Amino acid sequence: MIALGVLGQVLWWIALAAFFFVVVPVVIVVANRVVREARLIRDYATDVLEHGVGAAGNLDPVPELDRTRQLVKEVGAGLGRYGTAVAGLLSRRSAARNEGRTP
């Protein structure tokens, strides 16, 4: 080993003490913060995954919207025919009243 004088040995022990009482605790605190944040990220990711799967389950009926749209068009066409028939009946009834007879 390299021969150190008494002063060198004292400085060596001071450096070791500073390392163990300053550097090591700082490293532990920083590592603890990193681990805590990593756990929070993991919890958030788990939450997003859980609720994302739940939301995807709510999207299963979306393909049926096309069928619903088609049925609405068919009902609209039927409603138009119904409205035309009612208008024809009302116009005949009105014309009959104007002639003095009631159907």
Side-chain angles (χ1 to χ4, degrees):
M1 223 172 139
I2 300 174
L4 298 174
V6 173
L7 181 62
Q9 289 178 355
V10 170
L11 290 176
W12 179 255
W13 283 108
I14 291 173
L16 280 176
F19 178 76
F20 282 112
F21 293 115
V22 176
V23 175
V24 171
V26 168
V27 169
I28 291 172
V29 168
V30 170
N32 188 21
R33 286 184 182 183
V34 168
V35 169
R36 187 179 332 137
E37 294 301 321
R39 286 182 181 157
L40 283 174
I41 290 170
R42 183 194 60 203
D43 293 342
Y44 286 134
T46 302
D47 190 50
V48 166
L49 178 64
E50 177 184 333
H51 290 93
V53 168
N58 292 334
L59 298 176
D60 288 341
V62 169
E64 292 298 316
L65 290 174
D66 192 37
R67 175 74 177 135
T68 302
R69 185 176 183 197
Q70 180 184 359
L71 291 173
V72 166
K73 286 180 183 178
E74 291 174 11
V75 168
L79 186 62
R81 288 192 306 269
Y82 176 77
T84 302
V86 168
L89 290 173
L90 290 177
S91 67
R92 279 190 255 152
R93 185 172 185 189
S94 176
R97 280 193 178 170
N98 288 342
E99 293 177 5
R101 59 181 188 174
T102 305

